[in-house]
């Protein structure tokens, strides 16, 4: 303090009273390194209070390295000049609600208890770089009219930025949140980046709005973006996160991608991920895309095995890049309705898992839905499978689309509300014979069984007892030298004994193999054998065709 040899805390009472009596609203103050008790700070603010507004008005303010012993209350204060709180220590609650700052610096400040900046207005640049908030930090409805810097800040409790407005750039690079980072309903008018930051719990962006192109880089356990709005292009680079993206709104390309390695800054510095176990999987898991228009959505290397997709709009236009995994059929032999069942492996929706788990005869191994997820049946799931199939086909990945075609057909077969009984019967047959044209082994198995049955039937009933021999009958008319021969052949006789011999097996196999390719074996057959061959020449080529179709669907490009 100018004119005094001691700080305000160590002045004699008479000198302190004289100093405070000389302070007027709007006065510049310099109390760097001063230790403030709660009564001393209240006395200083009372001297700066403007009688017309009832609010303390302060000019240039220097509280660098100051120590605030008690609760710090700057509510409604107006900082008309620069406000410096660099390296200050707030030992108890710090309240700055509804304060007005023209320029503020809290770099390296330490808030040992709760810090409250709700409804504060920062008209100039504000810097909280390397600040430490040991309690809760509240910036609800605060307005940052210029640059807001929180780089390398440490929030040990929850940090609330609910309904805050960032009109300029907002920097949270290297910030660490040991509690929740709450940006719900916040407005970022021109922020180009948010992060990279580390959050040991939740990053909540639900209801937030981004006005310009932005990159969000988070290493967090949970990222909530319900009804978040993007008005320009955006990219979310994530690690460890479980993402709830339900009803998010975006009109331009938006990418959600899993970052494979810790975030690296331009100077080569790698961001620490101390809150996370070094052995923890850094995969990104999508939990919900319900209500999202996916026409401009790109997902890269994310896990969709638990993602809720019913209600997603334009899902057929979604782009899946890299390794995007889905839920799969439970492995091994399962018991369903008292009988063993073994399912063929395929990719499927989490909601089909939930639906099957709800069935009265459900086998163990299906994943049940959480209580608040709601329920979706085959009628809702079939269009989702159809849209994903088209998305894979448009991406020229036909083998990948096959699993979603199978899922679509399976839901149609199970749907009793929109699929007629006759159609369900056809679908049951298509499923049983070849797995909807996708299970070659099933079609080949039926083909082998049909051929075996045909061989057995031909040996038992189709081949005659003996090969009929041709006979010639000559007729000599009376009085002439002309001879006419009539060639005839005995009718094949049904076998009576020795039906299953090697010779008969060879003949039956020859007839059967020829019937697979619509050829006649030129083998004499009994009446029953003729019908057996006709049926064989219809059914077996169909089964062969289904097997070929299944192989093609799995290898087609």
């Amino acid at each position: 303090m100018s004119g005094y040899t001691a700080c305000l805390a160590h002045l004699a009472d008479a000198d302190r009273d004289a100093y405070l009596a000389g302070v007027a609203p709007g006065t510049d103050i310099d109390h760097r390194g001063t230790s403030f008790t709660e009564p001393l700070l209240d006395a200083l603010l009372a001297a700066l209070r403007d009688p017309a507004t009832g609010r303390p008005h302060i000019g240039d303010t220097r509280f660098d390295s100051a120590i605030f012993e008690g609760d710090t209350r700057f509510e409604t204060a107006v900082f008309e000049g620069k406000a410096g709180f660099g390296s200050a220590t707030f030992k108890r609650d710090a309240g700055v609600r509804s304060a007005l700052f023209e320029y503020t610096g809290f770099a390296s400040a330490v808030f040992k208890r709760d810090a409250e900046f709700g409804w504060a207005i920062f008209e100039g640049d504000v810097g909280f770089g390397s600040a430490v908030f040991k309690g809760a930090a509240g910036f609800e409805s605060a307005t940052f009219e210029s640059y807001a810097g929180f780089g390398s800040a440490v929030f040990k409790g929850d940090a609330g930025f609910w309904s805050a407005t960032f009109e300029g750039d907002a920097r949270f690079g290297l910030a660490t949140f040991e509690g929740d980072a709450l940006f719900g309903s916040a407005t970022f008018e021109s922020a180009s980046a948010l992060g990279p930051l580390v959050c040991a719990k939740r990053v909540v962006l639900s209801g937030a709005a981004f006005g310009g192109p932005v990159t969000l880089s988070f290493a967090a356990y949970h990222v909530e973006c319900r009804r978040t709005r993007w008005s320009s292009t955006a990219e979310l680079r994530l690690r460890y996160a479980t993402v709830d993206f339900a009803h998010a709104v975006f009109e331009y390309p938006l990418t959600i991608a899993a970052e494979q390695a810790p975030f690296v800054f331009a100077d080569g510095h790698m961001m620490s991920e101390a809150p996370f176990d070094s052995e923890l999987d850094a995969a990104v898991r999508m939990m919900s895309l319900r209500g999202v228009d996916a026409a401009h959505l790109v997902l890269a290397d994310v896990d969709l095995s638990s993602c809720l997709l019913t209600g997603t709009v334009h899902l057929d236009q979604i782009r899946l890049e890299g390794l995007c995994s889905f839920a799969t059929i439970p492995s091994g032999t399962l018991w369903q309705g008292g009988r063993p069942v073994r399912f063929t492996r395929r990719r499927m929706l989490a909601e089909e898992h939930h639906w099957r788990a709800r069935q009265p005869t459900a086998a163990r191994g299906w994943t049940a839905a959480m209580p608040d997820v709601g329920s979706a049946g085959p009628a809702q799931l079939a269009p989702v499978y159809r849209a994903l199939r088209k998305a894979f086909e448009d991406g020229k990945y036909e083998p990948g689309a096959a699993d979603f075609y199978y899922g679509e057909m399976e839901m149609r077969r199970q749907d009793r509300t929109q699929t007629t009984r006759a159609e369900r019967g056809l679908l049951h047959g298509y499923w049983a014979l070849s797995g909807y044209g996708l299970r070659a082994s099933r079609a080949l198995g039926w083909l082998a069984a049909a051929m075996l049955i045909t061989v057995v039937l031909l040996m038992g009933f189709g081949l005659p007892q003996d090969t009929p021999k041709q006979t010639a009958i000559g007729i000599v008319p009376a009085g002439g030298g002309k001879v006419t021969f009539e060639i005839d052949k005995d009718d094949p006789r049904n076998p009576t004994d020795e039906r299953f011999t090697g010779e008969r097996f060879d003949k039956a196999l020859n007839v059967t193999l020829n019937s697979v390719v619509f050829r006649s074996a030129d083998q004499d057959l009994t009446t029953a054998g003729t019908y057996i061959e006709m049926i064989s020449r219809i059914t077996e080529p169909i089964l062969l065709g289904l097997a070929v179709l299944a192989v093609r669907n799995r290898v087609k490009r």
Side-chain angles (χ1 to χ4, degrees), residues 251-263:
E251 303 173 2
Y252 295 89
L254 185 146
T255 300
I256 302 175
E259 194 74 12
Q260 302 302 319
F263 296 108

Side-chain angles (χ1 to χ4, degrees), residues 320-335:
L320 303 177
E321 304 288 347
L323 180 60
C324 291
S325 58
F326 287 82
T328 58
I329 292 286
S331 59
T333 301
L334 308 177
W335 287 88

Side-chain angles (χ1 to χ4, degrees), residues 146-277:
S146 187
Y147 173 84
F150 290 85
S152 300
V154 177
F155 299 86
K156 292 187 174 292
D158 292 345
F161 290 86
W162 290 104
S163 300
T165 300
F166 297 86
E167 297 180 3
D169 212 354
R171 295 292 180 181
F172 286 83
L174 281 178
T176 300
F177 295 82
E178 296 184 8
D180 291 337
L182 307 172
F183 293 92
S185 300
T187 300
F188 299 86
E189 294 185 0
S190 60
S192 60
L194 193 61
L197 60 82
V198 174
C199 182
K201 293 185 179 178
R202 296 184 302 158
V203 175
V204 177
L205 290 166
S206 295
F210 292 86
V214 64
T215 299
L216 293 81
S217 305
F218 306 147
Y221 279 118
H222 190 90
V223 176
E224 183 181 301
C225 296
R226 299 177 66 88
R227 301 187 184 279
T228 307
R229 179 180 293 272
W230 282 269
S231 299
S232 186
T233 58
E235 183 177 15
L236 281 72
R237 310 293 303 182
L238 306 174
R239 286 175 58 76
Y240 303 101
T242 297
V243 185
D244 186 349
F245 220 67
H247 303 285
V249 179
F250 45 94
E251 303 173 2
Y252 295 89
L254 185 146
T255 300
I256 302 175
E259 194 74 12
Q260 302 302 319
F263 296 108
V264 178
F265 292 85
D267 60 359
H269 177 72
M270 183 177 293
M271 189 175 71
S272 172
E273 297 180 343
F276 300 97
D277 188 340

Side-chain angles (χ1 to χ4, degrees), residues 451-481:
M451 292 176 65
L452 178 61
I453 292 172
T454 301
V455 169
V456 172
L457 291 177
L458 287 175
M459 293 176 66
F461 308 99
L463 298 177
Q465 178 70 35
D466 298 303
T467 301
K469 298 180 180 179
Q470 293 182 340
T471 59
I473 303 175
I475 302 175
V476 179

Side-chain angles (χ1 to χ4, degrees), residues 126-464:
V126 56
F128 285 88
S130 300
V132 178
F133 297 85
K134 294 189 175 181
F139 291 86
E140 290 84 354
S141 299
T143 300
F144 301 86
E145 296 183 355
S146 187
Y147 173 84
F150 290 85
S152 300
V154 177
F155 299 86
K156 292 187 174 292
D158 292 345
F161 290 86
W162 290 104
S163 300
T165 300
F166 297 86
E167 297 180 3
D169 212 354
R171 295 292 180 181
F172 286 83
L174 281 178
T176 300
F177 295 82
E178 296 184 8
D180 291 337
L182 307 172
F183 293 92
S185 300
T187 300
F188 299 86
E189 294 185 0
S190 60
S192 60
L194 193 61
L197 60 82
V198 174
C199 182
K201 293 185 179 178
R202 296 184 302 158
V203 175
V204 177
L205 290 166
S206 295
F210 292 86
V214 64
T215 299
L216 293 81
S217 305
F218 306 147
Y221 279 118
H222 190 90
V223 176
E224 183 181 301
C225 296
R226 299 177 66 88
R227 301 187 184 279
T228 307
R229 179 180 293 272
W230 282 269
S231 299
S232 186
T233 58
E235 183 177 15
L236 281 72
R237 310 293 303 182
L238 306 174
R239 286 175 58 76
Y240 303 101
T242 297
V243 185
D244 186 349
F245 220 67
H247 303 285
V249 179
F250 45 94
E251 303 173 2
Y252 295 89
L254 185 146
T255 300
I256 302 175
E259 194 74 12
Q260 302 302 319
F263 296 108
V264 178
F265 292 85
D267 60 359
H269 177 72
M270 183 177 293
M271 189 175 71
S272 172
E273 297 180 343
F276 300 97
D277 188 340
S278 60
E279 297 183 358
L280 187 66
D281 183 10
V284 175
R285 293 158 288 276
M286 297 297 300
M287 295 303 295
S288 178
L289 287 173
R290 284 182 172 175
V292 170
D293 187 339
H296 301 289
L297 182 61
V298 179
L299 302 179
D301 299 312
V302 298
D303 183 353
L304 295 165
S305 60
S306 301
C307 188
L308 305 178
L309 291 171
T310 53
T312 306
V313 181
H314 294 144
L315 189 59
D316 59 320
Q317 299 179 40
I318 195 172
R319 286 181 54 192
L320 303 177
E321 304 288 347
L323 180 60
C324 291
S325 58
F326 287 82
T328 58
I329 292 286
S331 59
T333 301
L334 308 177
W335 287 88
Q336 179 173 305
R339 60 187 179 85
V341 177
R342 188 176 185 87
F343 294 95
T344 304
R345 298 284 290 179
R346 65 177 171 92
R347 282 172 289 188
M348 63 188 305
L349 299 178
E351 287 145 308
E352 185 181 345
H353 262 272
H354 303 163
W355 174 76
R356 290 186 180 277
R358 294 195 304 269
Q359 303 311 301
T361 59
R364 296 181 60 184
W366 298 110
T367 302
M370 299 296 291
D372 58 343
V373 165
S375 59
Q380 294 79 34
L381 294 178
V384 179
Y385 274 117
R386 188 179 305 119
L388 286 173
R389 172 177 62 83
K390 185 177 183 300
F392 273 75
E393 289 174 347
D394 291 345
K396 307 303 180 184
Y397 184 28
E398 299 285 351
D403 282 347
F404 299 105
Y405 171 72
Y406 191 102
E408 175 192 354
M409 300 297 286
E410 187 72 358
M411 292 299 97
R412 289 177 56 196
R413 183 172 71 91
Q414 301 290 347
D415 182 16
R416 296 180 179 273
T417 61
Q418 298 186 19
T419 306
T420 64
R421 178 174 296 182
E423 185 179 354
R424 289 202 309 274
L426 290 174
L427 290 173
H428 271 84
Y430 195 19
W431 164 77
L433 290 176
S434 65
Y436 311 114
L438 294 172
R439 302 293 184 258
S441 58
R442 190 177 304 179
L444 290 173
W446 280 111
L447 176 60
M451 292 176 65
L452 178 61
I453 292 172
T454 301
V455 169
V456 172
L457 291 177
L458 287 175
M459 293 176 66
F461 308 99
L463 298 177

Side-chain angles (χ1 to χ4, degrees), residues 530-541:
T530 301
Y531 286 106
I532 293 171
E533 184 190 30
M534 291 171 59
I535 295 173
S536 174
R537 291 172 65 181
I538 294 174
T539 58
E540 292 170 7

